[in-house]
């Protein structure tokens, strides 16, 4: 379960999966309040560029 807040319209909503847009105003900028964070692209292969804390990167 994930909880998001939209800074554009103030809508707070819950989803089963990660959200890309606010369901009320369609804003693409969301604040993730609760739930497992998304992993940066490439983290599982250790190619995140060293800017994450995934633990699989060797920098």
């Amino acid at each position: 379960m994930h909880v998001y807040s939209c800074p554009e319209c103030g809508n707070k909503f819950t989803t089963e999966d990660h959200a890309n847009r606010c369901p009320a105003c369609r804003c693409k900028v969301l604040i993730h309040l609760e739930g497992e964070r998304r992993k940066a692209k490439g983290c599982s292969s250790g190619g995140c560029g060293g800017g994450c804390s995934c633990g699989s990167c060797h920098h």
Side-chain angles (χ1 to χ4, degrees), residues 16-17 24 26 29 33 35 53:
E16 290 289 327
D17 297 316
R26 308 301 293 164
V29 178
L33 300 173
S53 59

Side-chain angles (χ1 to χ4, degrees), residues 3-53:
V3 179
Y4 290 93
S5 176
C6 176
E8 184 72 26
C9 70
N11 183 35
K12 185 175 178 182
F13 61 98
T14 303
T15 65
E16 290 289 327
D17 297 316
H18 291 286
N20 293 319
R21 292 177 183 245
C22 173
C25 71
R26 308 301 293 164
C27 177
K28 291 183 180 183
V29 178
L30 298 173
I31 300 168
H32 191 252
L33 300 173
E34 294 179 28
E36 185 177 333
R37 303 275 180 201
R38 286 185 195 213
K39 292 186 176 159
K41 294 179 183 178
C43 276
S44 62
S45 65
C48 66
C52 76
S53 59

